[in-house]
Amino acid sequence: MGDIIITRDLTKVYHGHIKAVDNLNINIGEGEIYGLLGPNGAGKTTTINMLTTRIASSSGTATVNGYDINKESLKVRKTIGVVPQDLTADEDLTGRENLTMVSQFYDVPKQEARERIENLLKLVDMTEPADRYVKTYSGGMRKRLELIVGLVHNPKILFLDEPTLGLDIQTRSQMWEYVRQIQKELDVTIILTSHYLEEIDALADRVSIIDHGKVLVTGSPQELKSSLNGDIITITFREQNEADAMKNIPGVLEVTDSGPNTVRVKVSNADESLPDVINFISTNKLSTMKLTVQKPSLDEVFLEYTGKDIRVEDPGDARKMMMNMRRLRQ
Ligand SMILES: Nc1ncnc2c1ncn2[C@@H]1O[C@H](COP(=O)(O)OP(=O)(O)OP(=O)(O)O)[C@@H](O)[C@H]1O
Ligand SMILES: [Mg+2]
């Protein structure tokens, strides 16, 4: 399938000196769930804002569904749905009224809108609270509503900027299920930003890790994890053993001592090597007390490419705003 979004040296400089997005080059395939992963201030929202034509780029180009973001912004807007980082639904209307309002804004014929709204509500289990005021909704219900508000005009591409920010982990994983469902049932391409690694890992077919406006690496979460080269199998034997011969098992990269009667076996892929390792243990009649398998997580990938842990960088919005203001004054 072709690429539905292509960016070429897409750049945004604020106030002449803040390079928020720096020569971004990405290709997003039709039907993909594509993640932009990066810490606060990495340039995720700025990228989304350019692609959705909310702001103009400073240089470079991008096409969205074949349309140039700078020259054909109206056409771009008709083919995309956007769920922004901040909540946008009107609290003094019901969920259904919010959806209907948006459908009118996009000139969706009445009957078609009614059917589509019904269908969307069902898709995210919101049929029951649809006629309640939004102000009575829980955080999760509100986010589910926001999610389908972006789909009322049947777009080909859906942009989700931090779709689960501030939700607890259980509600978050429910949202992931809904996002997956939407992608499957409605056949949309989804661009998702997040600084939750688990979210990208669970949802994205491919991801670009970005920092300081630049793409550091692109690949499927699995590829990125595998690129770190090595799952770890840790084995504790009942007694001292000469486990050095394990080096000869196919796929084993390294065997090191790791505590009393314990070895740390680094393999390129644990799923492939584990049967051989177990076979080695039984053929040599080794008696084991414990065997664990550890696969690298996206945390480690992130650390490897950005040189920092994503979790320590989570300043609240107020602090972020102050930091931005300070930057502007400089
Ligand atoms: N309107 C603006 N004017 C000036 N600078 C801005 C503006 N919007 C964003 N920036 C700066 O551009 C950089 C990228 O910001 P952006 O909001 O795109 O990051 P982000 O990856 O979405 O971060 P977050 O995870 O906090 O949402 C930051 O340094 C930010 O301070
Ligand atoms: Mg953002």
Side-chain angles (χ1 to χ4, degrees), residues 218-243:
T218 296
S220 72
Q222 191 48 50
E223 275 165 7
L224 296 186
K225 286 186 278 187
S226 310
S227 74
L228 287 193
N229 221 359
D231 300 343
I232 305 292
I233 303 174
T234 308
I235 310 163
T236 303
F237 296 103
R238 213 165 276 286
E239 51 206 50
Q240 184 78 38
N241 276 295
E242 192 47 69

Side-chain angles (χ1 to χ4, degrees), residues 38-46 48-49 85 161-162 165 193-195 320:
N40 287 128
K44 304 182 295 292
T45 298
T46 303
I48 298 276
N49 284 348
Q85 191 163 344
D161 197 0
E162 305 276 359
L165 194 68
T193 80
S194 184
H195 55 260
K320 209 166 74 187

Side-chain angles (χ1 to χ4, degrees), residues 33 175-185 202-203:
I33 299 185
M175 280 291 280
W176 301 342
E177 212 35 67
Y178 290 124
V179 171
R180 265 191 226 113
Q181 198 69 13
I182 282 168
Q183 199 287 323
K184 248 198 341 235
E185 300 258 326
L203 278 180

Side-chain angles (χ1 to χ4, degrees), residues 132-191:
R132 273 168 40 193
Y133 288 120
V134 171
K135 61 186 162 207
T136 69
Y137 285 4
S138 68
M141 283 156 94
R142 224 173 236 247
K143 282 284 191 184
R144 264 140 70 197
L145 176 67
E146 302 273 342
L147 195 59
I148 57 172
V149 164
L151 291 163
V152 166
H153 57 298
N154 206 17
K156 287 191 70 162
I157 308 172
L158 181 66
F159 290 87
L160 303 176
D161 197 0
E162 305 276 359
T164 66
L165 194 68
L167 298 179
D168 60 78
I169 178 69
Q170 206 179 342
T171 316
R172 250 196 273 157
S173 54
Q174 272 169 11
M175 280 291 280
W176 301 342
E177 212 35 67
Y178 290 124
V179 171
R180 265 191 226 113
Q181 198 69 13
I182 282 168
Q183 199 287 323
K184 248 198 341 235
E185 300 258 326
L186 306 179
D187 201 20
V188 284
T189 304
I190 295 179
I191 293 90

